[in-house]
Amino acid sequence: MTQHKNAKLKGIMMQGTSSDAGKSYVATALCRVLSNRGINVAPFKSQNMSNNSYVTLYGEEIGRAQGAQALAARVEPSVYMNPILLKPKNNALSEIVLFGHPLRDATSKALFRDFLRCEGAQAIDKAKEWLTHHYEAVVIEGAGSPVEINLNDREIVNMYVARAFDVPVILVADIDRGGVFAQIVGTLELLEPEDRKRVGGIIINKFRGDIDLFEDGKRWLETYTGIPVLGVLPYLDIPVENEDRLSLEFKTRPEADLVIGVLDLPFISNATDLEVFEVEPDVAIQKVRNRSDLWQCDALIIPGTKSTQEDLMRFMELGFDADLQAYAKEKPVFGICGGYQMMGEILVDPQGMDSDGIGEMKGFGLFKGVTTFVSDKRVTKCSAVTIKSGTPIEGFEIHLGRTEILEPAQPLLRIGDAPDGVDLGNVKGTYVHHIFHNDVYRNEWLNEIRMMKGLLSKEPEISANRYEDAFEDLARAFEKHVDMDAIMEMIR
């Protein structure tokens, strides 16, 4: 349904007592619940800081969480749902992606001084106008905590947005990390009086055990704060894509036949490349932080990264290259995007596009190839086929570098008429993210590892309905444990 241009956009906002309190999770659940109730709803987050991005139909980048929330709401993900995406390149520098396209790199100081309350605020106004024309309601997500006192006069993602959209706020608190009463009371005490009036409810998230045991705590919170506790959500093991690396954890599976290592890169990007392995009951994913971790794994994945050279340098300083070269002679190594770039011989950055000041450096040397970083960033969805088996592949590309193979080597994929990646048996690499979300190919690769271990091959596990099933499971849990009647009253 398209809204009349003068219609009032209804909405509600999720703010948290801390980072990783579950704002994205709760917002995703509410998007599906409202969609199930026939409401034309969209997600919104003004500013996302994450290297976990989603590529829209038009080859634009938004935060992965808003892409997932849009799918939960059964609407097409759009840059207007996340107009500002900050992609950290190191601890002090981020790439600004504005309405899906790279704008410039900026330091933290420059972001707050020059961007947020100027171009950033204008982007929020533009996004609000677009959402008002296209949707009946909006579920808004904040970031971190709304009471970062040193930032409150410059932030454009928490109460600034609640005021701009004129919506009520639900405060989400994580009880699993402890101190939930202090989290909630402290947050409310530090809010400005007018902002505190916007908080119409509290949701306790990640409760383990018997929820009835929290009844006394619920009553105390409501009496002390004067704000209703709308629900207590149990700790849910439902696979919904995470916003960022803070939530990237893998299940421990001692009984697993295969252990796949993932190089633990500080600036890992698009970690959703890896989460799909959760559908494989005989596979465990283990982070590899040092040389000794490596040899405990049956195969290694080197994932994407926002700072290829800086992350590579960390492991080169550990002497990782010699171990990895020996490892690749015995066991499979698979590189994705930045991980693929690291696997070559040389990385060249003449314009400082990847890491300022590093210039040229050696790679892991698993194949003869040179990656040159260029200013022309490639962001696109793509369809491909594997060279070896002709298996169809759907995925997306997000990268600056171009890799030239300097030896006769079979490409891994063909995208249209163009080759992509490398396939040297144990050593494989590609620029295509989500290659392992293709069930047949993921199974082909895992079967190669199973055969090397003397295990029987398996048929593919199906992941196609993984997120759709998760959205419905999440919505059912939300309806069961949260007072939706009260939330509907808040939204009206």
Side-chain angles (χ1 to χ4, degrees), residues 35-92:
S35 176
N36 285 347
R37 294 185 176 211
I39 296 173
N40 184 25
V41 62
F44 180 75
K45 184 169 184 177
S46 60
Q47 171 196 308
N48 220 328
M49 178 170 277
S50 175
N51 282 328
N52 224 16
S53 58
Y54 180 97
V55 177
T56 72
L57 282 177
Y58 304 102
E60 302 155 324
E61 285 187 88
I62 63 174
R64 192 83 207 168
Q66 279 61 61
Q69 288 161 7
L71 298 179
R74 299 185 177 93
V75 297
E76 188 62 43
S78 164
V79 294
Y80 294 97
M81 298 169 187
N82 178 216
I84 303 164
L85 175 62
L86 305 177
K87 303 188 75 175
K89 301 182 76 169
N90 57 42
N91 290 330

Short mmCIF file of all heavy atoms in Angstrom, two decimals, residues 35-92:
data_model
loop_
_atom_site.label_atom_id
_atom_site.label_comp_id
_atom_site.label_asym_id
_atom_site.label_seq_id
_atom_site.Cartn_x
_atom_site.Cartn_y
_atom_site.Cartn_z
N SER A 35 3.78 -7.43 9.99
CA SER A 35 3.46 -7.90 8.64
C SER A 35 2.41 -8.99 8.67
O SER A 35 1.48 -9.01 7.85
CB SER A 35 4.74 -8.42 7.96
OG SER A 35 4.45 -8.96 6.69
N ASN A 36 2.53 -9.92 9.64
CA ASN A 36 1.53 -10.97 9.78
C ASN A 36 0.15 -10.40 10.09
O ASN A 36 -0.87 -11.04 9.79
CB ASN A 36 1.93 -11.94 10.90
CG ASN A 36 3.06 -12.87 10.48
OD1 ASN A 36 3.39 -12.98 9.30
ND2 ASN A 36 3.66 -13.55 11.45
N ARG A 37 0.11 -9.22 10.67
CA ARG A 37 -1.17 -8.58 11.01
C ARG A 37 -1.68 -7.68 9.88
O ARG A 37 -2.63 -6.93 10.06
CB ARG A 37 -1.02 -7.78 12.30
CG ARG A 37 -0.77 -8.65 13.52
CD ARG A 37 -0.74 -7.85 14.80
NE ARG A 37 -0.60 -8.74 15.96
CZ ARG A 37 -1.10 -8.49 17.17
NH1 ARG A 37 -1.79 -7.37 17.39
NH2 ARG A 37 -0.92 -9.34 18.16
N GLY A 38 -1.02 -7.76 8.72
CA GLY A 38 -1.49 -7.03 7.56
C GLY A 38 -1.06 -5.58 7.49
O GLY A 38 -1.63 -4.80 6.71
N ILE A 39 -0.07 -5.19 8.26
CA ILE A 39 0.40 -3.81 8.27
C ILE A 39 1.57 -3.67 7.30
O ILE A 39 2.50 -4.48 7.30
CB ILE A 39 0.81 -3.39 9.69
CG1 ILE A 39 -0.41 -3.40 10.62
CG2 ILE A 39 1.46 -2.00 9.69
CD1 ILE A 39 -0.09 -3.17 12.08
N ASN A 40 1.52 -2.65 6.47
CA ASN A 40 2.59 -2.37 5.51
C ASN A 40 3.71 -1.65 6.26
O ASN A 40 3.70 -0.43 6.42
CB ASN A 40 2.05 -1.49 4.38
CG ASN A 40 3.08 -1.23 3.30
OD1 ASN A 40 4.01 -2.01 3.12
ND2 ASN A 40 2.92 -0.13 2.60
N VAL A 41 4.67 -2.41 6.75
CA VAL A 41 5.68 -1.90 7.67
C VAL A 41 7.08 -2.01 7.07
O VAL A 41 7.35 -2.92 6.27
CB VAL A 41 5.62 -2.67 9.02
CG1 VAL A 41 5.92 -4.15 8.83
CG2 VAL A 41 6.56 -2.05 10.05
N ALA A 42 7.94 -1.09 7.45
CA ALA A 42 9.33 -1.11 7.00
C ALA A 42 10.25 -0.91 8.21
O ALA A 42 9.87 -0.25 9.18
CB ALA A 42 9.58 -0.01 5.98
N PRO A 43 11.46 -1.44 8.15
CA PRO A 43 12.44 -1.15 9.20
C PRO A 43 13.17 0.15 8.90
O PRO A 43 13.18 0.63 7.75
CB PRO A 43 13.40 -2.34 9.10
CG PRO A 43 13.40 -2.67 7.64
CD PRO A 43 11.99 -2.40 7.16
N PHE A 44 13.80 0.71 9.91
CA PHE A 44 14.63 1.90 9.70
C PHE A 44 15.71 1.96 10.77
O PHE A 44 15.45 1.73 11.95
CB PHE A 44 13.79 3.19 9.77
CG PHE A 44 14.61 4.44 9.55
CD1 PHE A 44 15.05 4.78 8.28
CD2 PHE A 44 14.95 5.26 10.61
CE1 PHE A 44 15.82 5.93 8.07
CE2 PHE A 44 15.72 6.41 10.42
CZ PHE A 44 16.14 6.74 9.14
N LYS A 45 16.91 2.26 10.33
CA LYS A 45 18.01 2.61 11.24
C LYS A 45 18.80 3.69 10.55
O LYS A 45 19.34 3.47 9.45
CB LYS A 45 18.88 1.40 11.57
CG LYS A 45 19.97 1.73 12.60
CD LYS A 45 20.65 0.48 13.12
CE LYS A 45 21.65 0.82 14.22
NZ LYS A 45 22.27 -0.40 14.79
N SER A 46 18.87 4.85 11.14
CA SER A 46 19.48 5.99 10.47
C SER A 46 20.95 5.75 10.17
O SER A 46 21.42 6.02 9.06
CB SER A 46 19.31 7.24 11.33
OG SER A 46 19.95 7.07 12.59
N GLN A 47 21.66 5.23 11.14
CA GLN A 47 23.11 5.08 11.01
C GLN A 47 23.54 3.73 11.57
O GLN A 47 23.27 3.41 12.71
CB GLN A 47 23.82 6.19 11.78
CG GLN A 47 25.32 6.03 11.91
CD GLN A 47 25.89 6.93 12.99
OE1 GLN A 47 25.64 8.12 12.99
NE2 GLN A 47 26.62 6.34 13.92
N ASN A 48 24.16 2.95 10.73
CA ASN A 48 24.64 1.64 11.13
C ASN A 48 26.16 1.64 11.07
O ASN A 48 26.73 2.16 10.11
CB ASN A 48 24.09 0.58 10.17
CG ASN A 48 23.68 -0.68 10.87
OD1 ASN A 48 24.25 -1.05 11.87
ND2 ASN A 48 22.67 -1.34 10.34
N MET A 49 26.82 1.08 12.06
CA MET A 49 28.26 0.89 11.98
C MET A 49 28.52 -0.60 11.95
O MET A 49 28.41 -1.29 12.97
CB MET A 49 29.00 1.54 13.15
CG MET A 49 30.50 1.30 13.10
SD MET A 49 31.46 2.28 14.28
CE MET A 49 31.61 3.82 13.38
N SER A 50 28.83 -1.11 10.78
CA SER A 50 28.99 -2.55 10.62
C SER A 50 29.67 -2.85 9.30
O SER A 50 29.45 -2.15 8.30
CB SER A 50 27.63 -3.25 10.67
OG SER A 50 27.77 -4.63 10.41
N ASN A 51 30.48 -3.87 9.28
CA ASN A 51 31.03 -4.38 8.02
C ASN A 51 30.21 -5.55 7.49
O ASN A 51 30.62 -6.22 6.55
CB ASN A 51 32.49 -4.81 8.22
CG ASN A 51 33.42 -3.63 8.24
OD1 ASN A 51 33.17 -2.62 7.58
ND2 ASN A 51 34.50 -3.72 9.01
N ASN A 52 29.06 -5.78 8.09
CA ASN A 52 28.15 -6.83 7.65
C ASN A 52 27.07 -6.17 6.81
O ASN A 52 26.05 -5.72 7.34
CB ASN A 52 27.53 -7.52 8.87
CG ASN A 52 27.52 -9.03 8.73
OD1 ASN A 52 28.22 -9.59 7.90
ND2 ASN A 52 26.74 -9.69 9.55
N SER A 53 27.28 -6.05 5.51
CA SER A 53 26.36 -5.28 4.68
C SER A 53 25.50 -6.17 3.79
O SER A 53 25.82 -7.32 3.52
CB SER A 53 27.12 -4.26 3.84
OG SER A 53 28.08 -4.89 3.02
N TYR A 54 24.40 -5.59 3.35
CA TYR A 54 23.44 -6.25 2.46
C TYR A 54 23.45 -5.49 1.14
O TYR A 54 23.45 -4.26 1.13
CB TYR A 54 22.04 -6.21 3.10
CG TYR A 54 20.96 -6.88 2.26
CD1 TYR A 54 20.59 -8.20 2.53
CD2 TYR A 54 20.32 -6.20 1.23
CE1 TYR A 54 19.60 -8.81 1.77
CE2 TYR A 54 19.33 -6.81 0.48
CZ TYR A 54 18.98 -8.12 0.75
OH TYR A 54 18.01 -8.73 0.00
N VAL A 55 23.46 -6.21 0.04
CA VAL A 55 23.44 -5.59 -1.29
C VAL A 55 22.01 -5.62 -1.82
O VAL A 55 21.41 -6.68 -1.95
CB VAL A 55 24.40 -6.31 -2.25
CG1 VAL A 55 24.31 -5.69 -3.65
CG2 VAL A 55 25.83 -6.24 -1.73
N THR A 56 21.47 -4.45 -2.12
CA THR A 56 20.10 -4.35 -2.62
C THR A 56 20.03 -4.77 -4.09
O THR A 56 21.07 -5.01 -4.74
CB THR A 56 19.57 -2.91 -2.49
OG1 THR A 56 20.25 -2.08 -3.46
CG2 THR A 56 19.80 -2.36 -1.09
N LEU A 57 18.82 -4.80 -4.62
CA LEU A 57 18.63 -5.15 -6.03
C LEU A 57 19.38 -4.22 -6.97
O LEU A 57 19.71 -4.58 -8.10
CB LEU A 57 17.14 -5.10 -6.39
CG LEU A 57 16.27 -6.29 -5.95
CD1 LEU A 57 14.81 -6.03 -6.31
CD2 LEU A 57 16.76 -7.59 -6.59
N TYR A 58 19.64 -3.00 -6.51
CA TYR A 58 20.27 -1.99 -7.36
C TYR A 58 21.76 -1.86 -7.10
O TYR A 58 22.39 -0.89 -7.49
CB TYR A 58 19.57 -0.64 -7.16
CG TYR A 58 18.09 -0.72 -7.41
CD1 TYR A 58 17.19 -0.77 -6.34
CD2 TYR A 58 17.58 -0.80 -8.70
CE1 TYR A 58 15.82 -0.87 -6.57
CE2 TYR A 58 16.22 -0.90 -8.93
CZ TYR A 58 15.34 -0.94 -7.86
OH TYR A 58 13.99 -1.06 -8.10
N GLY A 59 22.35 -2.85 -6.42
CA GLY A 59 23.78 -2.83 -6.17
C GLY A 59 24.21 -1.78 -5.17
O GLY A 59 25.29 -1.19 -5.29
N GLU A 60 23.38 -1.55 -4.14
CA GLU A 60 23.68 -0.57 -3.11
C GLU A 60 23.85 -1.29 -1.78
O GLU A 60 23.26 -2.35 -1.55
CB GLU A 60 22.54 0.45 -3.00
CG GLU A 60 22.27 1.18 -4.31
CD GLU A 60 20.84 1.70 -4.40
OE1 GLU A 60 19.93 1.01 -3.90
OE2 GLU A 60 20.65 2.77 -4.99
N GLU A 61 24.63 -0.70 -0.87
CA GLU A 61 24.90 -1.31 0.42
C GLU A 61 24.07 -0.71 1.53
O GLU A 61 23.97 0.52 1.64
CB GLU A 61 26.37 -1.12 0.79
CG GLU A 61 27.35 -1.99 0.05
CD GLU A 61 28.74 -1.84 0.62
OE1 GLU A 61 29.09 -2.57 1.57
OE2 GLU A 61 29.48 -0.98 0.12
N ILE A 62 23.48 -1.56 2.35
CA ILE A 62 22.87 -1.14 3.60
C ILE A 62 23.30 -2.14 4.68
O ILE A 62 23.91 -3.17 4.38
CB ILE A 62 21.32 -1.08 3.53
CG1 ILE A 62 20.73 -2.48 3.25
CG2 ILE A 62 20.87 -0.09 2.48
CD1 ILE A 62 19.20 -2.52 3.32
N GLY A 63 23.01 -1.82 5.93
CA GLY A 63 23.35 -2.74 7.00
C GLY A 63 22.62 -4.06 6.85
O GLY A 63 21.46 -4.12 6.45
N ARG A 64 23.32 -5.13 7.17
CA ARG A 64 22.76 -6.47 7.01
C ARG A 64 21.50 -6.64 7.86
O ARG A 64 20.53 -7.28 7.44
CB ARG A 64 23.80 -7.51 7.43
CG ARG A 64 23.44 -8.93 7.05
CD ARG A 64 23.81 -9.24 5.64
NE ARG A 64 22.95 -10.29 5.10
CZ ARG A 64 22.89 -10.60 3.81
NH1 ARG A 64 23.62 -9.95 2.94
NH2 ARG A 64 22.10 -11.56 3.38
N ALA A 65 21.49 -6.05 9.04
CA ALA A 65 20.33 -6.19 9.92
C ALA A 65 19.08 -5.59 9.29
O ALA A 65 17.99 -6.16 9.39
CB ALA A 65 20.61 -5.53 11.27
N GLN A 66 19.22 -4.42 8.63
CA GLN A 66 18.04 -3.82 8.01
C GLN A 66 17.60 -4.61 6.77
O GLN A 66 16.42 -4.67 6.47
CB GLN A 66 18.32 -2.36 7.64
CG GLN A 66 18.17 -1.40 8.82
CD GLN A 66 19.14 -1.71 9.94
OE1 GLN A 66 20.35 -1.65 9.75
NE2 GLN A 66 18.62 -2.06 11.11
N GLY A 67 18.57 -5.23 6.08
CA GLY A 67 18.18 -6.12 4.98
C GLY A 67 17.34 -7.28 5.49
O GLY A 67 16.30 -7.61 4.91
N ALA A 68 17.77 -7.89 6.61
CA ALA A 68 17.01 -9.01 7.19
C ALA A 68 15.66 -8.54 7.71
O ALA A 68 14.65 -9.23 7.55
CB ALA A 68 17.82 -9.65 8.31
N GLN A 69 15.62 -7.36 8.34
CA GLN A 69 14.35 -6.86 8.87
C GLN A 69 13.36 -6.57 7.75
O GLN A 69 12.15 -6.80 7.90
CB GLN A 69 14.61 -5.60 9.71
CG GLN A 69 15.29 -5.89 11.04
CD GLN A 69 15.93 -4.68 11.66
OE1 GLN A 69 15.78 -3.56 11.17
NE2 GLN A 69 16.67 -4.88 12.73
N ALA A 70 13.85 -6.06 6.63
CA ALA A 70 12.97 -5.83 5.49
C ALA A 70 12.37 -7.15 4.98
O ALA A 70 11.18 -7.22 4.68
CB ALA A 70 13.73 -5.13 4.37
N LEU A 71 13.20 -8.17 4.91
CA LEU A 71 12.69 -9.48 4.48
C LEU A 71 11.69 -10.01 5.49
O LEU A 71 10.69 -10.64 5.12
CB LEU A 71 13.85 -10.45 4.29
CG LEU A 71 14.87 -10.07 3.21
CD1 LEU A 71 15.98 -11.10 3.15
CD2 LEU A 71 14.20 -9.92 1.86
N ALA A 72 11.93 -9.77 6.78
CA ALA A 72 10.97 -10.17 7.81
C ALA A 72 9.65 -9.44 7.62
O ALA A 72 8.57 -10.00 7.86
CB ALA A 72 11.53 -9.90 9.20
N ALA A 73 9.73 -8.18 7.19
CA ALA A 73 8.53 -7.38 6.96
C ALA A 73 7.89 -7.67 5.60
O ALA A 73 6.86 -7.08 5.27
CB ALA A 73 8.86 -5.90 7.06
N ARG A 74 8.53 -8.54 4.81
CA ARG A 74 8.06 -8.91 3.47
C ARG A 74 8.06 -7.73 2.51
O ARG A 74 7.16 -7.56 1.67
CB ARG A 74 6.66 -9.55 3.53
CG ARG A 74 6.58 -10.84 4.35
CD ARG A 74 5.18 -11.46 4.24
NE ARG A 74 5.08 -12.72 4.95
CZ ARG A 74 4.67 -12.84 6.21
NH1 ARG A 74 4.35 -11.75 6.90
NH2 ARG A 74 4.58 -14.02 6.78
N VAL A 75 9.09 -6.88 2.62
CA VAL A 75 9.25 -5.76 1.69
C VAL A 75 10.66 -5.78 1.14
O VAL A 75 11.57 -6.41 1.69
CB VAL A 75 8.96 -4.41 2.39
CG1 VAL A 75 7.52 -4.35 2.86
CG2 VAL A 75 9.91 -4.16 3.56
N GLU A 76 10.87 -5.10 0.03
CA GLU A 76 12.16 -5.09 -0.63
C GLU A 76 13.12 -4.17 0.14
O GLU A 76 12.81 -3.01 0.42
CB GLU A 76 12.02 -4.57 -2.06
CG GLU A 76 13.27 -4.69 -2.89
CD GLU A 76 13.73 -6.13 -3.08
OE1 GLU A 76 12.89 -7.01 -3.32
OE2 GLU A 76 14.95 -6.36 -2.94
N PRO A 77 14.30 -4.66 0.52
CA PRO A 77 15.28 -3.81 1.21
C PRO A 77 15.65 -2.60 0.37
O PRO A 77 15.84 -2.70 -0.85
CB PRO A 77 16.47 -4.75 1.41
CG PRO A 77 15.88 -6.13 1.40
CD PRO A 77 14.76 -6.07 0.41
N SER A 78 15.75 -1.46 1.03
CA SER A 78 16.03 -0.20 0.33
C SER A 78 17.04 0.62 1.13
O SER A 78 17.11 0.54 2.36
CB SER A 78 14.73 0.61 0.18
OG SER A 78 14.98 1.95 -0.15
N VAL A 79 17.77 1.47 0.41
CA VAL A 79 18.73 2.36 1.06
C VAL A 79 18.04 3.35 1.99
O VAL A 79 18.67 3.88 2.92
CB VAL A 79 19.58 3.13 0.03
CG1 VAL A 79 20.46 2.18 -0.75
CG2 VAL A 79 18.69 3.94 -0.92
N TYR A 80 16.75 3.59 1.79
CA TYR A 80 16.03 4.52 2.66
C TYR A 80 15.74 3.91 4.03
O TYR A 80 15.34 4.62 4.95
CB TYR A 80 14.72 4.97 1.99
CG TYR A 80 14.97 5.80 0.75
CD1 TYR A 80 14.95 5.22 -0.51
CD2 TYR A 80 15.26 7.15 0.85
CE1 TYR A 80 15.20 5.97 -1.65
CE2 TYR A 80 15.51 7.92 -0.28
CZ TYR A 80 15.48 7.32 -1.53
OH TYR A 80 15.73 8.08 -2.64
N MET A 81 15.96 2.63 4.16
CA MET A 81 15.80 1.96 5.45
C MET A 81 17.07 2.04 6.29
O MET A 81 17.04 1.78 7.49
CB MET A 81 15.41 0.50 5.23
CG MET A 81 14.08 0.35 4.51
SD MET A 81 13.78 -1.34 3.96
CE MET A 81 12.28 -1.13 2.99
N ASN A 82 18.18 2.38 5.66
CA ASN A 82 19.46 2.57 6.35
C ASN A 82 20.32 3.53 5.52
O ASN A 82 21.21 3.10 4.80
CB ASN A 82 20.17 1.24 6.56
CG ASN A 82 21.53 1.36 7.23
OD1 ASN A 82 22.46 0.62 6.92
ND2 ASN A 82 21.69 2.31 8.14
N PRO A 83 20.00 4.81 5.58
CA PRO A 83 20.68 5.76 4.69
C PRO A 83 22.16 5.93 4.96
O PRO A 83 22.90 6.30 4.05
CB PRO A 83 19.91 7.07 4.93
CG PRO A 83 19.28 6.92 6.27
CD PRO A 83 18.97 5.46 6.40
N ILE A 84 22.60 5.67 6.20
CA ILE A 84 24.01 5.88 6.53
C ILE A 84 24.59 4.57 7.05
O ILE A 84 24.12 4.02 8.05
CB ILE A 84 24.18 6.96 7.61
CG1 ILE A 84 23.54 8.28 7.16
CG2 ILE A 84 25.65 7.16 7.95
CD1 ILE A 84 23.32 9.25 8.29
N LEU A 85 25.60 4.08 6.38
CA LEU A 85 26.33 2.88 6.81
C LEU A 85 27.79 3.26 6.98
O LEU A 85 28.43 3.75 6.05
CB LEU A 85 26.19 1.76 5.77
CG LEU A 85 26.99 0.48 6.03
CD1 LEU A 85 26.56 -0.18 7.33
CD2 LEU A 85 26.84 -0.48 4.85
N LEU A 86 28.31 3.08 8.18
CA LEU A 86 29.71 3.34 8.46
C LEU A 86 30.44 2.01 8.52
O LEU A 86 30.09 1.14 9.32
CB LEU A 86 29.87 4.09 9.78
CG LEU A 86 29.07 5.41 9.91
CD1 LEU A 86 29.28 6.01 11.30
CD2 LEU A 86 29.47 6.39 8.83
N LYS A 87 31.45 1.84 7.69
CA LYS A 87 32.19 0.58 7.62
C LYS A 87 33.60 0.81 8.17
O LYS A 87 34.44 1.42 7.50
CB LYS A 87 32.23 0.06 6.18
CG LYS A 87 30.85 -0.12 5.56
CD LYS A 87 30.90 -0.80 4.22
CE LYS A 87 31.18 -2.28 4.37
NZ LYS A 87 31.11 -3.00 3.06
N PRO A 88 33.86 0.34 9.40
CA PRO A 88 35.18 0.58 10.02
C PRO A 88 36.32 -0.04 9.22
O PRO A 88 36.26 -1.21 8.84
CB PRO A 88 35.04 -0.07 11.40
CG PRO A 88 33.57 -0.18 11.64
CD PRO A 88 32.96 -0.40 10.30
N LYS A 89 37.35 0.76 8.97
CA LYS A 89 38.55 0.27 8.30
C LYS A 89 39.68 0.04 9.29
O LYS A 89 40.59 -0.74 9.05
CB LYS A 89 38.99 1.27 7.23
CG LYS A 89 37.92 1.52 6.17
CD LYS A 89 38.37 2.48 5.09
CE LYS A 89 39.31 1.80 4.11
NZ LYS A 89 39.55 2.66 2.92
N ASN A 90 39.65 0.77 10.39
CA ASN A 90 40.51 0.52 11.54
C ASN A 90 39.84 1.16 12.74
O ASN A 90 38.68 1.57 12.65
CB ASN A 90 41.95 1.02 11.31
CG ASN A 90 42.01 2.50 10.98
OD1 ASN A 90 41.31 3.31 11.59
ND2 ASN A 90 42.84 2.86 10.00
N ASN A 91 40.53 1.27 13.84
CA ASN A 91 39.89 1.77 15.06
C ASN A 91 39.58 3.26 15.02
O ASN A 91 38.87 3.77 15.90
CB ASN A 91 40.77 1.46 16.27
CG ASN A 91 40.79 -0.03 16.58
OD1 ASN A 91 39.82 -0.74 16.32
ND2 ASN A 91 41.90 -0.51 17.12
N ALA A 92 40.09 3.98 14.02
CA ALA A 92 39.86 5.43 13.98
C ALA A 92 39.31 5.92 12.65
O ALA A 92 39.00 7.09 12.50
CB ALA A 92 41.17 6.16 14.27
#
